[in-house]
């Protein structure tokens, strides 16, 4: 008999966890109709049970005991929204071992352990989804791994980090000082817990690793991607670009070449007619070049609680719909294994 209520545990109740909870509860009716089952949050894992939370978070769902989530037979899907490498990776592995499907927004963890987690999930007939890990609300992982899967992808080029795009936009348009706009990006919930990952380009490199694995079926470690962040971009550089009607953006590029994939993240000077030059604030955009579909341009909010929560909830809905129909064992992985 197929299940009519699908239980979810959220690991984390910060920017993304609280945004996901809001999407799942405020849109519960839409989600139930589309999934063919009620989707209910049964537990929310946090570090500190005494911390003040958004008013909408029910206190009785909060726990600091991960084993209670693993042992709860009513929990079908675990959404890892904590960040960091450990214990996030171990928790995802344990959730799969316990027979639970996994959703994650954690590009740092997935860029290092995504292949292993994908194999673990496949071996268990379980689903692993991570749309929210790349470009927030933009459905780029779905686009590459489903709708464009019949193409050979020849290039991926994009603005993959909301914090740095927000900083560069505000510095350029408002002459705002770097430190003040970084603080603003943190207050708005865009930045990583340690924003060095954003401003030095590590976050964009993690996301590029995930795009390359899905689009090219190749694994390039984030540390092997040529990388430069935005900390060397000066107000003078932005003024010079403006004088030429151009913009400076942190651009991630992966190109298929005869001898392999060339990948890099670096600030680039983009002329006004380049599609990425008009992408402002925390918005992200990705240009995907395909051998049959030609160029595809996707744009949307790349960070923040609700845009990211929307992507997490979309993955949860997809898995819930598969569970409700008994088709989860047939789902294709997002990470293209060789
Ligand atoms: P955050 O605001 O710092 O929230 C992290 C949450 O995880 C907090 O609730 C924290 O508990 C909990 N947590 C952390 N370590 C834990 C542990 N060992 N055990 C139990 N709970 C733990 O982070 P965030 O901005 O939501 O980001 C979460 C993840 O989503 C990261 O991987 C990030 O890269 C990714 N992401 C973020 C965005 C965004 O726009 N912010 C977008 C896409 C993806 P306490 O509240 O008790 O401290
Ligand atoms: N810190 C990330 C960003 C969050 O600014 O893009 C979204 O992945």
């Amino acid at each position: 008999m197929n299940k009519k209520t699908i239980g979810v545990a959220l690991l984390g109740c910060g920017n993304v966890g609280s945004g996901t909870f809001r999407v799942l509860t405020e849109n519960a009716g839409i989600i139930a109709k589309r999934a063919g089952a009620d989707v209910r949050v049964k537990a929310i894992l946090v570090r500190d049970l005494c911390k003040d939370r958004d008013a909408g978070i029910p206190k009785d769902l909060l726990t600091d005991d991960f084993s209670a989530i693993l042992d709860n037979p009513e929990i079908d899907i675990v959404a890892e929204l904590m960040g960091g490498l450990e214990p996030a990776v171990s928790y995802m592995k344990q959730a799969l071992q316990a027979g639970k499907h996994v959703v994650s927004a954690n590009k740092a963890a997935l860029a290092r352990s995504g292949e292993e987690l994908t194999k673990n999930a496949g071996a268990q007939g379980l689903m692993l989804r991570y749309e929210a890990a790349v470009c927030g609300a933009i459905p780029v992982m779905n686009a590459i791994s489903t709708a464009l899967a019949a193409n050979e992808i020849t290039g991926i080029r994009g603005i993959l980090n909301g914090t740095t795009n927000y900083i560069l936009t505000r510095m350029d348009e408002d002459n705002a000082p770097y430190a003040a706009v970084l603080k603003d990006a943190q207050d708005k919930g865009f930045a990583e817990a340690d924003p060095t990952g954003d401003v030095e380009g590590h976050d964009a490199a993690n996301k590029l690793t995930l795009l390359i694995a899905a689009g090219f079926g190749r694994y390039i470690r984030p540390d092997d991607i040529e990388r430069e962040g935005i900390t060397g971009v000066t107000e003078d550089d932005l003024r010079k670009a403006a004088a030429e009607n151009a913009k400076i953006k942190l651009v991630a590029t992966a190109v298929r070449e005869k001898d392999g994939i060339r990948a890099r993240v670096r600030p680039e000077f983009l002329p006004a007619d380049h599609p990425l030059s008009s992408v402002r604030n925390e918005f992200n955009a990705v240009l995907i070049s395909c051998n049959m579909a030609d160029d595809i341009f996707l744009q949307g909010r790349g960070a923040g609680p609700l845009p990211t929560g929307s992507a997490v909830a979309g993955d949860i809905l997809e898995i819930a719909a598969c569970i409700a129909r008994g088709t989860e064992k047939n789902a294709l992985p997002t990470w293209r294994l060789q």
Side-chain angles (χ1 to χ4, degrees):
M1 190 181 69
N2 295 334
K3 289 188 74 156
K4 287 295 169 212
T5 298
I6 310 295
V8 177
L10 305 180
L11 310 187
C13 193
N15 296 306
V16 181
S18 58
T20 300
F21 184 80
R22 208 174 134 192
V23 177
L24 289 174
T25 47
E26 288 186 20
N27 282 359
I30 296 172
I31 291 168
K33 214 184 257 178
R34 295 188 182 155
D38 284 335
V39 174
R40 296 237 180 93
V41 177
K42 302 273 185 176
I44 306 178
L45 185 77
V46 292
R47 248 180 321 215
D48 179 359
L49 286 170
C50 300
K51 205 187 232 182
D52 279 344
R53 306 279 165 194
D54 288 359
I57 303 289
K59 287 203 167 45
D60 61 333
L61 292 183
L62 297 176
T63 176
D64 59 2
D65 180 6
F66 179 60
S67 60
I69 289 174
L70 283 182
D71 294 342
N72 185 342
E74 291 185 355
I75 293 173
D76 305 285
I77 304 171
V78 168
E80 185 278 299
L81 315 171
M82 307 189 307
L85 300 183
E86 285 298 343
V89 172
S90 300
Y91 284 5
M92 286 192 269
K93 286 183 187 169
Q94 289 174 56
L96 291 168
Q97 273 159 15
K100 300 180 191 305
H101 303 272
V102 170
V103 172
S104 177
N106 188 339
K107 50 272 165 151
L110 289 158
R112 284 154 186 86
S113 303
E115 185 163 5
E116 185 187 2
L117 289 165
T118 300
K119 285 179 180 161
N120 291 359
Q124 293 266 91
L126 295 164
M127 293 171 71
L128 168 71
R129 288 288 182 267
Y130 45 90
E131 182 61 71
V134 183
C135 296
I138 305 176
V140 63
M141 300 309 293
N142 267 293
I144 288 179
S145 56
T146 60
L148 298 174
N151 286 263
E152 177 167 272
I153 291 178
T154 52
I156 297 174
R157 199 156 150 72
I159 294 172
L160 308 184
N161 183 269
T163 300
T164 46
N165 205 42
Y166 184 81
I167 293 172
L168 292 172
T169 306
R170 300 265 59 90
M171 284 175 71
D172 177 40
E173 296 182 6
D174 307 336
N175 293 319
Y178 172 87
V181 238
L182 171 57
K183 166 83 173 54
D184 197 15
Q186 290 175 295
D187 292 345
K188 288 177 187 290
F190 304 154
E192 296 302 300
D194 176 358
T196 314
D198 295 292
V199 298
E200 296 295 358
H202 296 285
D203 182 71
N206 289 336
K207 291 166 177 166
L208 193 57
T209 287
L210 298 180
L211 288 170
I212 290 169
F216 297 103
R218 286 276 314 280
Y219 179 53
I220 301 184
R221 295 182 330 130
D223 295 343
D224 291 338
I225 292 176
E226 184 191 320
R227 174 189 52 76
E228 183 187 335
I230 64 158
T231 47
V233 177
T234 63
E235 288 167 22
D236 201 35
D237 293 330
L238 290 165
R239 265 195 301 274
K240 280 183 191 148
E244 293 184 36
N245 200 20
K247 300 286 176 197
I248 296 176
K249 300 284 179 190
L250 185 67
V251 180
T253 304
V255 186
R256 188 189 290 278
E257 292 184 341
K258 275 196 196 106
D259 52 350
I261 310 295
R262 190 163 49 89
R264 62 166 188 260
V265 173
R266 67 178 187 200
E268 291 191 20
F269 191 91
L270 300 176
D273 60 356
H274 192 286
L276 294 176
S277 82
S278 55
V279 178
R280 298 170 62 246
N281 292 323
E282 78 274 24
F283 279 75
N284 286 184
V286 195
L287 192 58
I288 308 163
S289 304
C290 308
N291 74 336
M292 295 291 158
D294 204 355
D295 284 352
I296 306 281
F297 186 68
L298 300 171
Q299 182 176 197
R301 286 187 200 274
L306 289 180
T308 312
S310 158
V312 176
D315 280 346
I316 290 171
L317 192 163
E318 185 203 349
I319 296 173
C322 289
I323 298 172
R325 289 161 180 76
T327 60
E328 67 269 39
K329 288 186 177 56
N330 305 328
L332 284 174
T334 306
W335 189 293
R336 187 143 49 93
L337 296 167
Q338 290 302 291

